[in-house]
């Protein structure tokens, strides 16, 4: 049995990872802004600690001491209107929160530190791109989100002098529990969904089960250090994604969504949807990770069967 600490454990990814760890017999420690709420959400088998203000204070050292791995998932949601205040919270929750976490790891005695820090990152690192395939050696982008991810990863990388650090650049997660699919489903179920902004931009997707599998792989694989793209092997265009979702729902999916409408609704955040990236999981493939859902349509059908 291993002792695994998760920050952001009550989110879509964190709760799924917690369940997977418990199933295989590990001890799960959740570090959350509200320990009582986390205990209610995750169940009594998960021990919880409060980290009330991640941008202003370190997490409790007793939560991290003696653990085998820390999986850092904490961060404000990206899928909101990006006001200046929201952008500051998105950045600070990731950058300052990760800095605080690493500072606590530094203060632990060497024999009480975990072996690995698995720090969630994002494909937003690469910025808007054309049709080129982007592996982990591709350059960083220059937009707001790319800047956040670069700074976020830099804080996690500071821990490399103490332990192994894996930076998991996660794509668009397929789940009805939250995120892009949950927002899109009502429209597609009514038959009024379709490609966004022409549909030519690429979408780097991944099934939630493969996100969890990738995080478990990062915990266990001593060869995985530095950035790894956590995306399915075959990115698709937005138009292809829309058609596949329509087929999975037995609904038409031809009604285009113009870019100006999205910008009106979401402001700057709409650029994440109206532009795209063709990100591929080169590092995970090199290390032999096996995806449960490498193809889009079976992945969508499985996700929808659980809704």
């Amino acid at each position: 049995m291993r002792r695994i600490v998760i920050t952001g454990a009550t989110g879509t990814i964190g709760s799924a990872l917690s369940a997977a760890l418990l199933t295989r017999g590990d001890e799960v420690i959740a570090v959350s802004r509200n320990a009582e709420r986390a205990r209610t959400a995750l169940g009594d088998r998960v021990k919880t600690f409060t980290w009330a203000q991640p941008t202003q204070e370190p997490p409790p050292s007793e939560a991290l001491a003696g653990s085998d791995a820390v999986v850092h998932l904490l961060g404000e949601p990206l899928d909101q209107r990006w006001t200046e205040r929201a952008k500051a919270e998105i950045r600070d929750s990731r950058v300052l929160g990760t800095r605080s976490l690493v500072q606590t790891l530094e203060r632990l005695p060497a024999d009480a530190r975990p072996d690995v820090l698995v720090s969630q990152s994002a494909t937003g690192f690469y910025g808007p791109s054309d049709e080129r395939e982007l592996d982990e050696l591709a350059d960083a982008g220059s937009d707001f989100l790319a800047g956040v991810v670069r700074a976020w990863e830099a804080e996690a990388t500071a821990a490399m002098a103490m332990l192994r650090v894996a930076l998991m650049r996660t794509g668009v997660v397929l789940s009805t529990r939250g995120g892009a699919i949950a927002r899109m489903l009502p429209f597609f179920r009514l038959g009024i969904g379709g490609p966004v902004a022409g549909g030519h931009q690429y979408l780097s997707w991944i099934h939630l089960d493969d996100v969890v599998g990738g995080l478990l792989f990062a915990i266990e694989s001593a060869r995985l250090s530095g950035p790894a793209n956590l995306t399915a092997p075959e990115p698709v265009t937005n138009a292809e994604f829309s058609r596949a979702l329509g087929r999975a729902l037995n609904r038409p999916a031809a009604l285009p969504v113009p870019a100006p409408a999205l910008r009106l609704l979401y402001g700057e955040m709409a650029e994440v949807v109206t532009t795209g990236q063709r990100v591929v999981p080169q590092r995970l493939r090199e290390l032999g990770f096996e995806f449960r859902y490498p193809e889009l349509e079976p992945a969508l059908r499985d996700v929808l069967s659980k809704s």
Side-chain angles (χ1 to χ4, degrees):
M1 182 176 71
R2 306 190 70 186
R3 190 175 195 261
I4 313 297
V5 177
I6 306 174
T7 73
T10 58
T12 300
I13 295 174
S15 57
L17 177 62
S18 297
L21 289 167
L22 290 172
T23 296
R24 74 178 198 175
D26 288 326
E27 180 185 4
V28 178
I29 310 298
V31 181
S32 174
R33 289 184 176 92
N34 186 310
E36 274 306 315
R37 191 180 306 151
R39 190 175 301 113
T40 299
L42 299 171
D44 293 338
R45 294 174 62 195
V46 175
K47 188 173 182 179
T48 58
F49 289 85
T50 294
W51 185 13
Q53 296 179 303
T55 63
Q56 300 176 36
E57 63 185 10
S61 57
E62 60 268 28
L64 307 182
S67 62
D68 295 291
V70 175
V71 182
H72 183 43
L73 304 174
L74 193 68
E76 286 294 313
L78 292 176
D79 58 336
Q80 57 177 303
R81 187 175 181 86
W82 285 359
T83 63
E84 289 306 310
R85 178 177 178 179
K87 287 167 68 174
E89 290 175 348
I90 286 168
R91 178 183 173 86
D92 290 351
S93 66
R94 288 162 171 78
V95 177
L96 301 183
T98 304
R99 183 180 302 170
S100 294
L101 174 65
V102 171
Q103 288 171 346
T104 296
L105 291 173
E106 288 173 339
R107 287 195 289 267
L108 292 177
D111 60 358
R113 288 185 194 131
D115 298 321
V116 58
L117 167 63
V118 179
S119 186
Q120 187 178 27
S121 181
T123 55
F125 173 88
Y126 303 105
S129 182
D130 52 24
E131 296 183 359
R132 292 170 300 149
E133 287 192 347
L134 302 173
D135 64 15
E136 291 82 359
L137 297 178
D139 292 336
S142 58
D143 63 338
F144 163 72
L145 188 54
V148 169
V149 178
R150 288 199 310 273
W152 184 13
E153 290 189 353
E155 296 296 339
T157 300
M160 282 186 171
M162 301 178 288
L163 42 78
R164 180 169 62 88
V165 177
L167 306 168
M168 308 306 287
R169 293 175 180 165
T170 310
V172 175
V173 180
L174 302 190
S175 170
T176 56
R177 302 179 199 175
I181 292 294
R183 286 182 175 271
M184 294 166 64
L185 271 179
F187 301 100
F188 275 81
R189 281 180 166 144
L190 290 171
I192 56 174
V196 173
H200 302 296
Q201 69 276 28
Y202 271 85
L203 187 150
S204 299
W205 62 275
I206 183 167
H207 191 292
L208 178 60
D209 288 356
D210 282 328
V211 175
V212 171
L215 294 174
L216 295 175
F217 187 81
I219 291 171
E220 303 295 342
S221 178
R223 294 171 58 201
L224 179 50
S225 180
N229 293 333
L230 193 50
T231 60
E234 296 293 337
V236 297
T237 66
N238 184 276
E240 290 169 334
F241 184 88
S242 296
R243 289 193 293 268
L245 182 54
R247 286 193 296 270
L249 290 167
N250 294 313
R251 294 288 188 277
L255 189 65
V257 180
L262 280 178
R263 293 191 187 101
L264 184 63
L265 183 61
Y266 290 116
E268 186 180 348
M269 195 279 285
E271 296 301 314
V272 175
V273 182
T274 58
T275 60
Q277 307 158 321
R278 193 176 185 178
V279 179
V280 293
Q282 183 64 27
R283 187 68 182 129
L284 287 177
R285 290 191 293 202
E286 289 172 351
L287 294 174
F289 177 71
E290 295 185 7
F291 288 85
R292 290 183 62 185
Y293 297 97
E295 297 178 356
L296 177 61
E297 205 149 332
L300 285 172
R301 293 191 183 280
D302 180 78
V303 166
L304 294 171
S305 72
K306 299 171 181 175
S307 63

